[in-house]
């Protein structure tokens, strides 16, 4: 389906043709994303960035993407808004529709992006709803993967960390299921393994899926290692204490001993750098296989492209000076 004038709530809305068309737009927007070419395509348009949960990359890259296209950004944070007076998501959506032309919503509760979109009269982008979906993260993850594997089909992807509560994992997994012949390797303690629904989706879509509890056993054939943070804020402290002994770091020793020289290591970030945390180790920072910072930077052109597709103003010849946003 076409994204024009719709909300973007789930990767399920995209077919692979539209995804590659979005990537083509993103590629031609890279000089604008880097500030090398200026643009006023979205002059007069206002983005409401509505964040009920902490965010660095998602909020700032949406903000930068809109501003790089000449639009204005109006930010909302739950702690300084009427949310603390008990205002509902529905009422907030109604009000924000009067103050902006498009909104990005991040919320801790699964399904809230849909509720917000139902009560808004402007397009809404899901910036992460609870442990459910994070569709724009999947777009930039897939864009990054396509820089190394342009067809995407046929690759082996190892997911490590918190596969149960990680919404970035869920959206990327769903998006990869749209391609052909993917081998998924799910590496996590049993209590943090992939939701059953996603396992069924992969099997029904004709992909292969393997399960491991430790990275040494699973990453040997991976083209992409998608490492993630344990989402401690989404489950009980007692459970964390129970599974702690089964958690692991993805570090240089593990990668050097087990991963392919051509493997690429992605992470949606943030990584948990606190002492005793189980996450991607910083001893991989100078390893050229680690591409998570490039991945995060790709969020800007990809989100710029998404705005243009949602507003239905994508030029066919990549001439971004001849099209402009109209209310
Ligand atoms: C992720 C998120 O918020 O789901 N971060 C992000 O948006 N890049 C991943 C995480 O918080 O672990």
């Amino acid at each position: 389906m076409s994204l024009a004038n719709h909300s973007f709530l789930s990767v399920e809305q995209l077919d692979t043709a539209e995804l590659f068309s979005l990537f083509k737009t993103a590629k031609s927007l890279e000089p604008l994303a880097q500030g090398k070419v200026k643009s006023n395509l979205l002059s007069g348009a206002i983005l409401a960035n509505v964040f009920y949960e902490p965010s660095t990359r998602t909020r700032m890259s949406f903000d930068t993407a809109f501003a790089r296209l000449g639009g204005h950004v109006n930010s909302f944070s739950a702690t300084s808004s009427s949310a603390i007076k008990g205002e509902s998501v529905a009422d907030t959506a109604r009000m924000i529709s009067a103050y902006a032309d498009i909104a990005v919503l991040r919320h801790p509760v699964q399904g809230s992006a849909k509720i917000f979109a139902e009560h808004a009269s402007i397009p809404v982008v899901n910036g992460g709803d609870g442990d459910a979906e994070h569709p724009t993260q999947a777009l930039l993850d897939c864009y990054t993967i396509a820089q190394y594997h342009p067809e995407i089909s046929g690759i082996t992807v190892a997911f490590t960390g918190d596969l149960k509560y990680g919404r970035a994992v869920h959206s990327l997994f769903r998006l990869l299921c749209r391609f052909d012949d993917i081998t998924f390797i799910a590496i996590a303690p049993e209590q943090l393994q992939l939701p059953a629904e996603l396992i069924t989706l992969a099997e029904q879509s004709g992909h292969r899926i393997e399960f491991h509890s430790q990275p040494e056993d699973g990453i040997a054939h991976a083209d992409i290692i998608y490492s993630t943070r344990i989402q401690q804020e989404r489950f009980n402290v007692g459970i964390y204490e129970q599974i702690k002994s089964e958690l692991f770091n993805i570090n240089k020793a593990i990668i050097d001993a087990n991963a392919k020289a051509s493997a690429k290591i992605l992470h949606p970030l943030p990584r948990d750098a606190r002492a005793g945390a189980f996450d991607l180790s910083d001893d991989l920072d100078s390893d050229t296989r680690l591409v998570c910072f490039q991945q995060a930077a790709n969020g800007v052109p990809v989100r710029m492209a998404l705005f243009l597709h949602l507003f239905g103003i994508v030029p066919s010849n990549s001439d971004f000076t001849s099209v402009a946003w109209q209310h």
Side-chain angles (χ1 to χ4, degrees), residues 203-225:
E203 287 168 352
Q204 286 177 348
S205 316
H207 303 298
R208 282 173 302 283
I209 183 159
E210 285 175 23
F211 301 91
H212 297 278
S213 55
Q214 291 297 314
E216 290 85 344
D217 306 326
I219 59 174
H221 303 292
D223 299 303
I224 301 294
I225 299 165

Side-chain angles (χ1 to χ4, degrees), residues 151-204:
E151 308 285 323
I152 298 176
S153 288
I155 59 172
T156 296
V157 184
F159 284 95
T160 75
D162 188 343
L163 314 189
K164 181 170 183 180
Y165 297 102
R167 58 193 171 198
V169 170
H170 301 164
S171 283
L172 178 59
F173 192 97
R174 282 182 190 281
L175 194 56
L176 289 171
C177 278
R178 300 258 146 164
F179 293 87
D180 296 321
D181 189 27
I182 304 287
T183 302
F184 291 107
I185 303 176
I187 306 170
E190 208 181 322
Q191 298 223 52
L192 296 182
Q193 261 299 354
L194 284 169
E197 187 197 341
L198 292 184
I199 299 168
T200 307
L201 176 69
E203 287 168 352
Q204 286 177 348

